[in-house]
């Protein structure tokens, strides 16, 4: 069955340090992949998405993600983290089932940023 | 623009009570979704709609019903609330496909005692 796994539940980094959040997927075909961010008390906001083409995609707020088919991964990166990046991050994949496409989320990674 | 608006923002129910969560979007989106968010489980799809008058089951539909009588509104109903339905509920919408950008509401915190 198709699934999305985020191995890290919590990550803490210092402000200014680099960041990598991991995401692995299980999917037979070429997946549509996403990263969403959720600030405290808010709904989710799309950071970036991958459908096809260049495997390195740029998103908002200085984030990027790289699709690696051989590793079934879509890891999110940022070279220098800001205190405002503290939030929960969700990887997601589109699931095609019964003729409809549905977005399936991973369990999320909560990011804390130390000053 | 208002985007996606959910009401209410907070609610406490007793076991067995019923309630309806309202989601309204002003972006003329075709697709609408209801998710629940529980700690350590991410967001799970309850029901969704691909257009006015249509609904379909998601991953965790049991105990919930939905209606999409108007394109801009998507209602989530709990007929007989259970403690297992304590969660944060999010509504979302997208223009025509879920692999386009989803727009989320700010959530409804529901506690069932």
């Amino acid at each position: 069955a198709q699934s999305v796994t985020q191995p890290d539940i919590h990550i803490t980094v210092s402000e200014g340090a680099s960041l990598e959040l991991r995401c692995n997927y299980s999917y037979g075909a070429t997946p549509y992949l996403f990263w969403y961010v959720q600030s405290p008390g808010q709904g989710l906001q799309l950071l970036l998405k991958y459908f096809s083409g260049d495997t390195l995609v740029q998103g908002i707020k200085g984030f990027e993600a790289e699709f690696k088919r051989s590793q079934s991964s879509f890891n999110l990166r940022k070279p220098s983290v800001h205190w405002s990046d503290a939030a929960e991050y969700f990887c997601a994949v589109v699931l095609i089932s019964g003729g409809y496409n549905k977005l399936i989320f991973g369990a999320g990674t909560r990011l804390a940023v130390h000053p | 623009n208002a985007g996606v608006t959910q009401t209410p923002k907070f609610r406490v129910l007793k076991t067995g009570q019923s309630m309806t969560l309202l989601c309204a979007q002003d972006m003329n989106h075709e697709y609408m979704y209801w998710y629940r968010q529980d700690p350590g489980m991410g967001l799970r799809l309850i029901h969704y709609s691909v257009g006015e008058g249509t609904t379909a089951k998601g991953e965790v539909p049991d105990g919930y019903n939905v209606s999409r009588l108007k394109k801009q509104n998507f209602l989530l109903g709990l007929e007989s609330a259970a403690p297992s339905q304590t969660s944060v509920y999010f509504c979302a919408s997208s223009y025509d496909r879920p692999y386009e950008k989803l727009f989320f509401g700010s959530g409804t915190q529901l506690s069932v005692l």
Side-chain angles (χ1 to χ4, degrees):
Chain A
Q2 292 89 344
S3 66
V4 178
T5 303
Q6 294 180 246
D8 305 305
I9 299 174
H10 295 280
I11 285 184
T12 301
V13 300
S14 298
E15 191 170 16
S18 63
L19 172 70
E20 183 169 27
L21 303 182
R22 296 183 291 165
C23 173
N24 296 99
Y25 65 90
S26 170
Y27 196 66
T30 299
Y32 295 150
L33 295 160
F34 306 78
W35 276 99
Y36 280 82
V37 60
Q38 183 182 28
S39 298
Q42 301 297 316
L44 279 69
Q45 179 184 21
L46 180 66
L47 281 177
L48 47 80
K49 61 185 178 183
Y50 172 78
F51 289 174
S52 64
D54 193 344
T55 57
L56 184 64
V57 293
Q58 302 296 321
I60 62 172
K61 304 185 180 186
F63 285 92
E64 65 179 26
E66 185 171 13
F67 170 61
K68 293 185 178 180
R69 184 187 301 277
S70 61
Q71 298 177 18
S72 297
S73 69
F74 189 56
N75 294 349
L76 182 71
R77 301 194 295 246
K78 188 169 185 179
S80 179
V81 171
H82 188 262
W83 64 267
S84 61
D85 293 325
E88 190 155 19
Y89 292 81
F90 294 93
C91 184
V93 64
V94 167
L95 171 66
I96 298 175
S97 175
Y100 293 125
N101 301 324
K102 292 173 285 191
L103 193 60
I104 304 299
F105 289 86
T109 298
R110 185 169 297 278
L111 174 67
V113 180
H114 280 328
Chain B
N1 288 338
V4 179
T5 303
Q6 292 181 231
T7 53
K9 294 188 182 302
F10 302 94
R11 187 72 185 269
V12 178
L13 292 178
K14 295 180 179 179
T15 297
Q17 287 185 318
S18 64
M19 77 163 294
T20 300
L21 305 183
L22 171 63
C23 177
Q25 53 94 4
D26 62 0
M27 297 170 284
N28 200 35
H29 286 171
E30 291 292 337
Y31 280 57
M32 296 187 74
Y33 317 82
W34 276 107
Y35 286 90
R36 60 177 290 174
Q37 183 179 28
D38 302 291
M41 303 188 74
L43 279 78
R44 291 180 292 168
L45 183 64
I46 304 171
H47 287 280
Y48 63 101
S49 168
V50 301
E52 181 178 314
T54 74
T55 63
K57 294 180 180 180
E59 301 171 83
V60 289
D62 294 342
Y64 305 95
N65 56 77
V66 288
S67 64
R68 182 106 180 263
L69 299 180
K70 294 183 178 181
K71 186 177 183 178
Q72 64 268 33
N73 295 336
F74 194 31
L75 278 63
L76 178 70
L78 287 73
E79 291 187 348
S80 180
S84 61
Q85 294 177 305
T86 293
S87 186
V88 180
Y89 292 85
F90 286 97
C91 177
S93 69
S94 62
Y95 179 64
D96 61 357
R97 298 169 296 181
Y99 43 88
E100 296 299 332
K101 180 179 180 179
L102 262 67
F103 291 79
F104 282 83
S106 58
T108 296
Q109 174 72 60
L110 175 66
S111 296
V112 182
L113 305 178

